[in-house]
Amino acid sequence: MSLRPTVDFLLHDWLKVETLQSRERFADHSRETFDAVLDTCERIAREKYAPFNRLVDTQEPQFDGEKVILPQATHDAYKAYAESGMLSAAQDYDVGGMQLPYTVEAAANAFFAMASVSIGSGMLTSGNANLLMVHGTDLQKQVFAAHEFSGRFSGTMCLSEPQAGSSLSDVTTRATPDGEGFEADALGPRYRLKGHKMWISSGEHELSENIIHLVLAKIPDANGQLVPGVKGISLFIVPKKMVDTQGQLTGQRNDMALAGLNHKCGWRGTTNTLLNFGEGKYPVASAGSAHAVAGAVGYRVGKPGEGLRCMFHMMNEARIGVGMAATMLGMAGYYASLDYAKNRPQGRPSGAGGKDASQPQVRIIEHADIKRMLLAQKSYSEGALALALYSARLVDEQHTGSAEDADVARLLLEVLTPIVKSFPSEWCLEANSMAIQIHGGYGYTRDFPVEQYWRDNRLNMIHEGTHGIQAMDLLGRKVLMENGRGLQLLAERMLATAAKAEASWGPEAAALRDALKQVGQATEQAWAGAEPAQALANAVPYLQAFGHTVIAWIWLDVACLDGDTTPAAQGRRAACRYFYRYELPKIGAWLRVVSSRDPTCAELPEEAF
């Protein structure tokens, strides 16, 4: 099967992306230019990514003591992607961009994620450069961001540390001013960083001329002490190789070194690293001095203590990207298991007298339980893809809509981002599990791709914040912010869809209203006179119920369009019905523990485990 018809339907029939052409920023574009971008990305994904997905899984990155060695296929894929212009697709013309709507960019990148998420398509590089375009100085944009957009440099985000994990308030990487006049450096206030960063994707490789790390670190106070909590965190540009104000390499290596490669169960084609900053392996001379000393040179981005605020620009973008990666892995597994089910003969239908062994076997797609698993995969994956593209459309609205519409889009994105990241990370992983099940014993072998899809997707439940982190963000902050206005705006859109669907989808419209009512009541009851620890003890079931309600809304909104009798439309309607009949009823159990602030988990002493 091809992904393209689904993408075209969602972009043009559902989201009406061509209406963006009326806006000044996108005035040069048309359906033809959008299609050309999709055509190019689909072709590169088909030729440079998909054939090598198994190769990069089996030929993991190796460190020879000097450099990380990757298969030639990875180099070829990176080069093709960079030359396509997709790293700067949504950027201004004057920085080499296409001024492409983010909705189209997100759709185009879906082809790469499905072809080989392990090879990657520059998500961190784009996110790194986009952050600098918002928070960096003019020279930081020219020297670092512009060369990332061209593919000459690549980028990372360095947050976690071995002892801190996701608890960023506990980072201990230190950044001290690099001598007198440190604030006068043309590339930004210059510091020396010392510390360790863990789980850094694409932290070391030879794919690009340089690697630009965005590093969170703390600046010591006057007494040399690190400020507790996240308010003490600042953000720094730390290039692997030193550059001048023209972006040219100086020939000097920065004082950061690869401490080791992490070998995960999935995404094996992507280097994942432990990096040491400032250990003295590559000492660097201070400005105006010939004496080289230990300490990785970093240029501060933004004001001291505002590092996490700046980094969230990249983190939110990365969360949407992780959600899209999880979605496309789910989609890849669905297509693979659908193809297998159509061609694998096994079993015979049951009649009044039982099974007739003299009759020929039927293909497994003729069994109801196989259809159940295929519909589940379709409902999870296509629903998640629609949500991701809907969210991308909100990004375009935030950047190019009227002031009022932009503010509405901002709030909707605040509420939806935890769902965009977490729903596919959990349920498209479940889709991959079903894909393995459909393959039977063959699904567990490396002769078929579905076991790799599952392994790759298992990482997305951790990437850019666990379910627990996303859940606490949603229930503890997003649905409460600005007096709950984001949740109210989302509810209004859901109710509008229910009203629109009433005539042809009456039971589903009623079910959506009821689900929304349950979510609203659970939100109020979770916080009614409760301490945060009580309210948030069951945040994950809340996230699951909220996510299922959002996907049910998305499916109903999509289904309202499908009045024709094509097989594709019939499939979408069936996926919508499946989700309402098999999935949405689950929210009652999840929300009961939220509403009652059930203490079963929170109060059990560790000795009882």
Side-chain angles (χ1 to χ4, degrees):
M1 286 187 66
S2 170
L3 173 65
R4 183 62 178 275
T6 299
V7 168
D8 285 343
F9 171 81
L10 292 174
L11 283 180
H12 300 292
D13 295 275
W14 183 50
L15 292 174
K16 309 294 184 185
V17 73
E18 66 274 7
T19 60
L20 289 171
Q21 298 159 209
S22 64
R23 300 184 180 181
E24 181 181 357
R25 180 171 183 79
F26 308 125
D28 293 340
H29 289 293
S30 63
R31 173 71 184 261
E32 287 71 26
T33 62
F34 294 159
D35 284 348
V37 170
L38 296 176
D39 289 344
T40 297
C41 291
E42 189 177 20
R43 176 184 55 78
I44 295 173
R46 182 177 61 249
E47 295 175 358
K48 300 294 185 181
Y49 284 72
F52 308 103
N53 190 44
R54 178 62 77 186
L55 173 72
V56 299
D57 184 65
T58 56
Q59 294 185 21
E60 295 183 64
Q62 299 295 322
F63 182 53
D64 68 359
E66 293 294 329
K67 62 182 182 294
V68 170
I69 300 170
L70 294 169
Q72 183 60 41
T74 304
H75 290 263
D76 295 340
Y78 178 86
K79 183 174 184 290
Y81 185 81
E83 290 179 349
S84 75
M86 287 303 295
L87 285 167
S88 60
Q91 291 298 317
D92 295 346
Y93 291 137
D94 59 11
V95 295
M98 304 181 202
Q99 292 188 191
L100 196 69
Y102 180 64
T103 315
V104 178
E105 178 188 17
N109 279 323
F111 294 107
F112 299 103
M114 193 172 82
S116 181
V117 73
S118 191
I119 293 178
S121 56
M123 177 182 75
L124 291 176
T125 297
S126 294
N128 180 309
N130 289 341
L131 181 153
L132 293 177
M133 293 302 292
V134 174
H135 298 289
T137 65
D138 288 343
L139 196 57
Q140 287 172 343
K141 296 174 187 177
Q142 296 169 21
V143 171
F144 301 110
H147 292 299
E148 290 182 86
F149 285 138
S150 73
R152 180 174 166 239
F153 296 168
S154 56
T156 75
M157 54 192 299
C158 299
L159 288 75
S160 298
E161 296 180 6
Q163 83 293 339
S166 299
S167 181
L168 298 180
S169 61
D170 294 316
V171 301
T172 58
T173 298
R174 302 167 68 93
T176 56
D178 189 20
E180 294 184 8
F182 74 97
E183 291 185 319
D185 195 295
L187 293 176
R190 179 171 160 144
Y191 290 74
R192 293 291 183 138
L193 277 67
K194 294 186 178 181
H196 312 280
K197 292 293 179 179
M198 187 70 161
W199 313 119
I200 310 306
S201 295
S202 301
E204 180 61 49
H205 55 73
E206 299 294 316
L207 298 173
S208 58
E209 191 175 327
N210 202 357
I211 303 174
I212 309 304
H213 302 282
L214 286 178
V215 183
L216 293 181
K218 291 185 175 182
I219 302 171
D221 62 19
N223 297 317
Q225 302 300 310
L226 298 182
V227 179
V230 298
K231 292 183 178 179
I233 297 175
S234 299
L235 180 63
F236 302 88
I237 299 168
V238 184
K240 172 185 173 181
K241 300 174 182 178
M242 301 299 292
V243 300
D244 61 22
T245 55
Q246 305 301 313
Q248 300 304 310
L249 303 186
T250 65
Q252 187 173 31
R253 173 77 180 260
N254 204 354
D255 191 17
M256 51 171 297
L258 178 68
L261 295 176
N262 300 307
H263 297 281
K264 296 185 176 182
C265 71
W267 289 59
R268 291 181 175 180
T270 301
T271 54
N272 191 275
T273 61
L274 169 62
L275 300 176
N276 291 342
F277 292 86
E279 65 179 358
K281 185 174 183 178
Y282 303 102
V284 183
S286 298
S289 171
H291 180 59
V293 297
V297 172
Y299 306 100
R300 199 184 71 225
V301 179
K303 297 178 181 179
E306 294 189 358
L308 202 55
R309 183 182 71 84
C310 295
M311 184 62 90
F312 261 108
H313 184 97
M314 185 176 183
M315 289 168 68
N316 284 332
E317 191 171 321
R319 285 171 178 170
I320 294 175
V322 166
M324 182 64 87
T327 297
M328 301 322 298
L329 283 165
M331 196 78 81
Y334 166 57
Y335 287 163
S337 60
L338 176 60
D339 181 69
Y340 185 85
K342 287 179 176 180
N343 291 284
R344 167 70 171 174
Q346 185 172 318
R348 294 168 178 82
S350 295
K355 295 182 180 180
D356 184 353
S358 66
Q359 295 298 311
Q361 290 184 321
V362 298
R363 295 168 303 133
I364 63 174
I365 197 171
E366 297 180 48
H367 299 308
D369 196 52
I370 298 295
K371 291 182 179 180
R372 175 189 64 83
M373 289 187 282
L374 289 170
L375 266 177
Q377 292 181 72
K378 182 179 179 69
S379 71
Y380 298 154
S381 302
E382 289 190 17
L385 176 59
L387 174 60
L389 294 179
Y390 181 89
S391 299
R393 180 65 179 78
L394 288 175
V395 172
D396 285 323
E397 198 65 33
Q398 186 180 7
H399 291 161
T400 64
S402 67
E404 181 179 356
D405 289 345
D407 193 55
V408 168
R410 173 186 65 84
L411 279 166
L412 287 170
L413 279 167
E414 291 280 9
V415 176
L416 289 175
T417 295
I419 307 302
V420 177
K421 188 275 173 187
S422 63
F423 179 89
S425 297
E426 179 171 5
W427 295 101
C428 290
L429 177 68
E430 177 63 18
N432 290 139
S433 182
M434 291 179 178
I436 292 174
Q437 186 74 9
I438 288 172
H439 280 73
Y442 290 113
Y444 297 93
T445 71
R446 293 197 176 191
D447 297 322
F448 291 85
V450 288
E451 61 85 28
Q452 182 184 345
Y453 295 147
W454 189 94
R455 285 188 290 104
D456 284 340
N457 219 350
R458 186 59 186 82
L459 274 64
N460 289 317
M461 293 180 76
I462 295 290
H463 282 157
E464 305 309 324
T466 63
H467 278 348
I469 289 172
Q470 303 298 330
M472 288 189 287
D473 182 42
L474 178 65
L475 179 56
R477 193 167 73 89
K478 296 299 180 62
V479 298
L480 303 178
M481 65 187 296
E482 299 185 26
N483 296 315
R485 184 164 170 254
L487 180 57
Q488 180 184 352
L489 289 168
L490 183 60
E492 290 172 359
R493 296 202 172 193
M494 290 185 177
L495 292 173
T497 294
K500 180 173 60 175
E502 189 68 52
S504 54
W505 292 84
E508 288 77 13
L512 179 60
R513 290 193 191 96
D514 181 64
L516 180 59
K517 181 179 179 181
Q518 290 185 61
V519 169
Q521 290 175 339
T523 306
E524 292 180 4
Q525 291 166 357
W527 284 104
E531 296 294 327
Q534 292 177 308
L536 298 175
N538 295 296
V540 167
Y542 179 85
L543 174 76
Q544 291 171 311
F546 200 112
H548 263 54
T549 302
V550 167
I551 295 297
W553 160 57
I554 289 289
W555 265 120
L556 189 57
D557 204 69
V558 168
C560 285
L561 292 175
D562 276 326
D564 59 51
T565 58
T566 63
Q570 184 181 6
R572 285 189 287 269
R573 288 195 296 269
C576 181
R577 284 193 297 271
Y578 171 88
F579 201 86
Y580 273 84
R581 296 174 186 180
Y582 287 74
E583 296 293 331
L584 191 59
K586 295 176 181 177
I587 74 168
W590 290 326
L591 291 177
R592 276 194 290 276
V593 297
V594 177
S595 298
S596 64
R597 300 199 290 270
D598 187 273
T600 301
C601 299
E603 294 183 358
L604 186 65
E606 63 180 83
E607 295 81 8
F609 284 96

